[in-house]
Amino acid sequence: MYSVDILRDHGSTSQTILSIGHQWKPSVLDTEANIYAVPDYTQINLDLFFLVKQLKNLKPELLFVTKFANGDFPNNPNFYLNKTDLFHVDFILNYNF
């Protein structure tokens, strides 16, 4: 985890978490072992948390996720469409009571 002061005068900071993972899957052509036909993939998450001093219970978050296929599989969109080769961004407002 990495922290940075973004507004030192106001005491606000940000925290960053970077996560990288790889999933090894059976062949997409082996329907018994890989029933959803998801190829091997690597996923990278970058999570940015913003800690605002004036809003103690509110913790805004910006999440970037990318997922890309690895290995050999047939050139058919059914094997990677909405499964891999994607980029996703979320803005999340976490509030602790």
Side-chain angles (χ1 to χ4, degrees):
M1 188 177 321
Y2 182 72
S3 295
V4 175
D5 292 335
I6 54 175
L7 298 170
R8 286 190 184 170
D9 297 338
H10 302 293
S12 299
T13 61
S14 68
Q15 294 178 336
T16 304
I17 300 174
L18 177 67
S19 306
I20 301 173
H22 184 80
Q23 289 286 324
W24 287 271
K25 299 285 193 178
S27 171
V28 294
L29 301 175
D30 184 358
T31 56
E32 286 192 21
N34 193 347
I35 60 172
Y36 297 111
V38 177
D40 289 356
Y41 64 88
T42 301
Q43 181 168 334
I44 301 172
N45 296 351
L46 177 63
D47 218 344
L48 303 171
F49 294 96
F50 302 99
L51 309 170
V52 182
K53 184 178 180 181
Q54 292 84 359
L55 304 170
K56 293 182 182 183
N57 295 337
L58 186 66
K59 192 174 183 182
E61 174 183 353
L62 193 57
L63 174 63
F64 300 94
V65 177
T66 184
K67 192 174 179 183
F68 50 92
N70 302 110
D72 295 328
F73 55 92
N75 188 15
N76 183 338
N78 292 329
F79 294 124
Y80 59 85
L81 189 63
N82 292 329
K83 298 176 186 178
T84 59
D85 295 343
L86 55 91
F87 182 75
H88 186 78
V89 179
D90 285 317
F91 179 69
I92 303 161
L93 290 174
N94 298 303
Y95 188 82
N96 296 319
F97 293 94

